[in-house]
Amino acid sequence: QVQLVESEGGVVQPGRSLRLSCAASGFSFSSYGMHWIRQAPGKGLEWVAVISNDGSKKYYVDSVKGRFTISRDNPKNTLYLQMNSLRVEDTAVYYCAKGEGGHYLYWGQGTLVTVSS
Amino acid sequence: QSVLTQPPSVSGAPGQRVTISCSGSSSNIGAGYDVHWYQHLPGTAPKLLIYDNTKRPSGVPDRFSGSKSGTSASLAITGLRAEDEADYYCQSGSWVFGGGTKLTVL
């Protein structure tokens, strides 16, 4: 069965960096685009970034452009989100999700990232 | 503020029917993009309820149904149950989510 397991988040100071990972199993990872989606406390879902199946195309929400980098290691079936210059407003639960036909059937369990001094 | 507009809250009594609207524009729903719906309970991953406007993934009861017309879409829930109390999100276009609707079962 499809499984997406995010790494543990954590508490990080503003301006610092953190890398999230998402280990995938149960499907042909290299065949699918993968996404990061987040939910800030008390807010709705917000799409963050997408990477194509081969890693050649990447897109980001405007608020993270230039600070976050999505990447993937297909032989390791792992998705990453490198988050630099973190801001308080980046505090959220981050989910990885398998992209298929524009919707998300499979999601990770979510990992909390708290940006605070 | 999301480009897909949902009512902040809706409510209904057990057994009743409720609908949740999702209003878009000619840039997303009106441009022909499919609409998808998710149920989100606190502390859990969102669950896909409806995809491609009207389709239900395996395991989603037929109490949940979706429709789309013009620049809007709707999620209908019939035979409301206590366990349906959750947040509901529409999604369409280039990876855009609606602001979410909190469903309260009275």
Side-chain angles (χ1 to χ4, degrees), chain A residues 3 5 8 16-18 21 25 31 36 39 53 61 67 72 78 80 82-83 87 93 96 98 100 107 109-110 115:
Chain A
Q3 279 197 307
V5 180
E8 208 169 303
R16 304 300 289 266
S17 299
L18 188 67
S21 63
S25 61
S31 297
W36 287 99
Q39 183 180 35
N53 66 308
V61 67
R67 300 188 299 120
R72 64 192 297 159
T78 303
Y80 301 100
Q82 177 68 45
M83 302 184 292
R87 303 169 180 171
V93 174
C96 60
K98 174 176 177 266
E100 42 195 327
W107 299 66
Q109 81 281 6
V115 184

Side-chain angles (χ1 to χ4, degrees), chain A residues 35 37 39 43-47 50 59-60 95 101-105 107-110, chain B residues 36 38 40 43-48 51-52 57 87 89 91 94-99:
Chain A
H35 299 247
I37 296 158
Q39 183 180 35
K43 303 290 186 179
L45 298 173
E46 179 183 42
W47 172 83
V50 60
Y59 299 96
Y60 303 90
Y95 298 95
H103 57 271
Y104 311 106
L105 178 58
W107 299 66
Q109 81 281 6
Chain B
H36 320 291
Y38 301 85
H40 194 198
T44 69
K47 175 185 177 182
L48 181 67
Y51 68 99
D52 295 354
D87 296 322
Y89 294 89
Q91 179 225 333
S94 299
W95 317 304
V96 176
F97 288 95

Side-chain angles (χ1 to χ4, degrees), chain B residues 2 13 24 27-28 35 41 47 55 61 66 69 72 88-90 92 96:
Chain B
S2 176
S27 300
N28 39 66
V35 180
L41 295 161
K47 175 185 177 182
K55 300 174 183 176
S69 178
S72 296
Y88 292 81
Y89 294 89
C90 61
S92 184
V96 176

Side-chain angles (χ1 to χ4, degrees), chain B:
Chain B
Q1 188 170 348
S2 176
V3 296
L4 298 178
T5 302
Q6 298 180 234
S9 64
V10 298
S11 62
Q16 283 190 332
R17 178 181 186 270
V18 296
T19 61
I20 299 173
S21 61
C22 176
S23 178
S25 70
S26 57
S27 300
N28 39 66
I29 298 175
Y33 286 98
D34 289 323
V35 180
H36 320 291
W37 291 91
Y38 301 85
Q39 178 190 62
H40 194 198
L41 295 161
T44 69
K47 175 185 177 182
L48 181 67
L49 285 179
I50 299 290
Y51 68 99
D52 295 354
N53 308 312
T54 61
K55 300 174 183 176
R56 280 188 310 275
S58 175
V60 174
D62 59 7
R63 300 189 298 110
F64 297 90
S65 62
S67 64
K68 172 188 166 183
S69 178
T71 58
S72 296
S74 289
L75 172 72
I77 309 172
T78 58
L80 206 56
R81 298 181 178 182
E83 59 260 36
D84 297 333
E85 188 161 291
D87 296 322
Y88 292 81
Y89 294 89
C90 61
Q91 179 225 333
S92 184
S94 299
W95 317 304
V96 176
F97 288 95
T101 298
K102 181 173 181 58
L103 169 62
T104 300
V105 181
L106 302 171

Side-chain angles (χ1 to χ4, degrees), chain A residues 8-114:
Chain A
E8 208 169 303
V11 180
V12 60
Q13 292 180 326
R16 304 300 289 266
S17 299
L18 188 67
R19 188 178 81 159
L20 301 180
S21 63
C22 169
S25 61
F27 67 102
S28 178
F29 181 71
S30 62
S31 297
Y32 291 90
M34 295 293 295
H35 299 247
W36 287 99
I37 296 158
R38 68 184 178 183
Q39 183 180 35
K43 303 290 186 179
L45 298 173
E46 179 183 42
W47 172 83
V48 175
V50 60
I51 185 168
S52 60
N53 66 308
D54 62 357
S56 62
K57 297 176 184 174
K58 305 174 185 180
Y59 299 96
Y60 303 90
V61 67
D62 285 348
S63 58
V64 309
K65 282 179 183 175
R67 300 188 299 120
F68 289 13
T69 301
I70 188 171
S71 62
R72 64 192 297 159
D73 186 332
N74 282 347
K76 292 185 177 180
N77 290 341
T78 303
L79 173 72
Y80 301 100
L81 185 67
Q82 177 68 45
M83 302 184 292
N84 298 333
S85 303
L86 280 161
R87 303 169 180 171
V88 171
E89 54 265 35
D90 295 320
T91 295
V93 174
Y94 285 76
Y95 298 95
C96 60
K98 174 176 177 266
E100 42 195 327
H103 57 271
Y104 311 106
L105 178 58
Y106 297 104
W107 299 66
Q109 81 281 6
T111 188
L112 177 61
V113 173
T114 302

